[in-house]
Amino acid sequence: MPDITHPWTRFALIVVIALAVAGVLRRVMHALLRRFAVHHPMGASIIMRANAPIEAMLPLAMLLLAFRAAPDEPARLVGGLEHLVGVSFILACTWFAVRCVGALEAAVARFNPIDLEDNLRARRLQTQVRVLGRTAMVLIVLLGIAVVLMTFPGVRQFGASLLASAGLAGLAVGLAAKPVLGNLIAGMQIALTQPIRIDDVVIVEGEWGRVEEITSTYVVVAIWDERRMIVPLQYFIEHPFQNWTRTSSQILGSVLLWFDYGMPLEPLREELERLCRAAPEWDGRVMGLQVVDSDEKAMQVRALVSSSDSGKSFDLRCKVREGLIAFVRREFPGYLPRLRADVPIQERKAGQAMSPS
């Protein structure tokens, strides 16, 4: 029969009781969270992702409380075990915070899908939550690592002496960390001011693409030919770029064609109207045909049409261009662009005389 008055026996019983209490608290918490999740779908997704770190946090917290009753001898062993449990608890709390942020990000993406026609609000929310979430995750991990290191006296003293005596080293570290800090600050700016959002259509470095992903340090732009351009976050703060869906996805598209001066414009306008009304890509807002330029050879005609987004605009422009060229070739083949030249009568007769008959 073990002696219950022995310090280690008493400590072992306290540990068993602490773990049993942790198990009871876990069951009670799961019951309460399940009831909460029934009426709050977004909360349910957060609870599901945060379940694993909660499973680790509760017993570790109870063990920390149990170590208050640990025997004083051997002090090194007890102190080492308590320190190990404390570090594990800090890491579990860091894990819990990161999973909660990730769950919130996933919940916002789930309840605000961007695969809709009018998705401006959803893209705004997803961009804010994703950028702020990734930044928060980085800060949480850095904070967790810093707290763990501060629990080691040797590391804490080393850090204090380094801050007190190594000014040049601190400056070097600051310069080395400048790109990372710059991208973190740029991420905060993008999340708050939103010059770009998820699924925005942008022109970057002359390339047309969609914003596919925004991380804490870079942006992934999906190019139209399935390439991926990786752009640092700071680029969108420091350089100009085009955003075709900043306030709306609606866009105007133009088709430029050259025709002879004799080409009548009314038939072209009627054919343009017929092509637009037959095309599902046209949204019915804008349709017009004008002469916008001319030179000594021909006149330039511009057909202006509107679409609900840039992808449809590209398809509509191709249809209009093909349709107008086919119409002119079929109905007015003599008015396609041509090269004119005046040949004097004397040169023409001389050429005829030299040609063999």
Side-chain angles (χ1 to χ4, degrees):
M1 188 102 180
D3 185 6
I4 198 170
T5 61
H6 193 277
W8 280 103
T9 304
R10 188 167 58 250
F11 174 63
L13 289 175
I14 293 174
V15 169
V16 172
I17 294 172
L19 294 177
V21 172
V24 173
L25 289 177
R26 184 180 62 182
R27 289 179 178 274
V28 173
M29 185 176 293
H30 282 178
L32 294 175
L33 292 178
R34 278 198 301 268
R35 181 171 297 182
F36 173 80
V38 172
H39 304 287
H40 300 83
M42 184 175 291
S45 61
I46 297 176
I47 292 169
M48 183 177 64
R49 289 207 174 194
N51 183 57
I54 290 176
E55 295 278 348
M57 286 172 58
L58 286 176
L60 289 173
M62 298 306 297
L63 283 176
L64 281 178
L65 293 176
F67 267 101
R68 300 300 179 186
D72 296 331
E73 295 295 337
R76 189 167 184 176
L77 175 61
V78 174
L81 290 175
E82 185 176 5
H83 184 232
L84 178 61
V85 174
V87 169
S88 302
F89 180 72
I90 294 171
L91 294 177
C93 291
T94 304
W95 183 23
F96 172 75
V98 170
R99 292 298 292 267
C100 285
V101 173
L104 179 61
E105 179 184 330
V108 171
R110 176 185 174 188
F111 291 99
N112 296 274
I114 60 176
D115 55 348
L116 302 175
E117 188 70 24
D118 184 11
N119 60 358
L120 183 61
R121 178 179 177 274
R123 290 190 291 112
R124 182 184 298 116
L125 287 174
Q126 284 206 27
T127 300
Q128 285 182 332
V129 173
R130 186 169 298 186
V131 176
L132 291 175
R134 300 294 171 84
T135 304
M137 287 181 184
V138 173
L139 295 177
I140 289 170
V141 171
L142 291 177
L143 180 61
I145 294 174
V147 173
V148 169
L149 292 178
M150 292 298 290
T151 62
F152 294 90
V155 176
R156 183 168 61 244
Q157 293 173 5
F158 174 76
S161 61
L162 181 63
L163 291 176
S165 61
L168 184 60
L171 178 61
V173 172
L175 291 175
K178 183 180 177 182
V180 177
L181 297 177
N183 279 320
L184 286 176
I185 295 173
M188 297 293 292
Q189 289 179 283
I190 287 175
L192 296 176
T193 61
Q194 293 198 338
I196 56 171
R197 291 179 293 264
I198 300 297
D199 205 43
D200 265 347
V201 176
V202 294
I203 305 292
V204 181
E205 298 291 323
E207 297 282 1
W208 182 98
R210 291 183 180 273
V211 177
E212 183 177 57
E213 184 180 1
I214 301 178
T215 70
S216 59
T217 55
Y218 61 86
V219 176
V220 179
V221 179
I223 310 301
W224 65 272
D225 56 1
E226 298 186 357
R227 289 177 295 151
R228 297 295 186 274
M229 180 182 291
I230 311 300
V231 187
L233 280 176
Q234 283 184 287
Y235 178 93
F236 295 96
I237 303 298
E238 299 174 352
H239 298 85
F241 62 95
Q242 297 183 38
N243 188 338
W244 289 11
T245 54
R246 178 69 178 85
T247 57
S248 172
S249 60
Q250 294 177 341
I251 192 171
L252 298 179
S254 61
V255 175
L256 299 175
L257 297 170
W258 288 92
F259 294 120
D260 187 77
Y261 282 106
M263 178 67 202
L265 297 180
E266 283 307 314
L268 271 181
R269 290 192 175 97
E270 294 175 0
E271 179 65 12
L272 174 63
E273 181 177 0
R274 187 191 69 81
L275 291 171
C276 287
R277 295 191 182 281
E281 295 84 2
W282 185 56
D283 62 2
R285 290 187 300 116
V286 177
M287 176 185 59
L289 188 138
Q290 295 173 311
V291 177
V292 294
D293 197 6
S294 61
D295 59 13
E296 70 278 3
K297 301 176 183 178
M299 61 180 179
Q300 188 179 53
V301 177
R302 183 187 70 182
L304 197 63
V305 292
S306 62
S307 298
S308 58
D309 59 59
S310 57
K312 293 180 181 179
S313 178
F314 180 82
D315 294 337
L316 179 60
R317 288 165 54 204
C318 292
K319 287 185 178 181
V320 168
R321 186 181 296 110
E322 294 171 2
L324 291 180
I325 292 176
F327 173 75
V328 173
R329 289 183 60 187
R330 183 177 65 251
E331 303 294 337
F332 302 95
Y335 294 134
L336 292 171
R338 62 180 66 182
L339 181 63
R340 292 184 174 90
D342 289 333
V343 181
I345 297 178
Q346 293 81 1
E347 294 182 6
R348 191 185 310 165
K349 289 181 178 179
Q352 292 176 353
M354 294 177 62
S355 61
S357 54

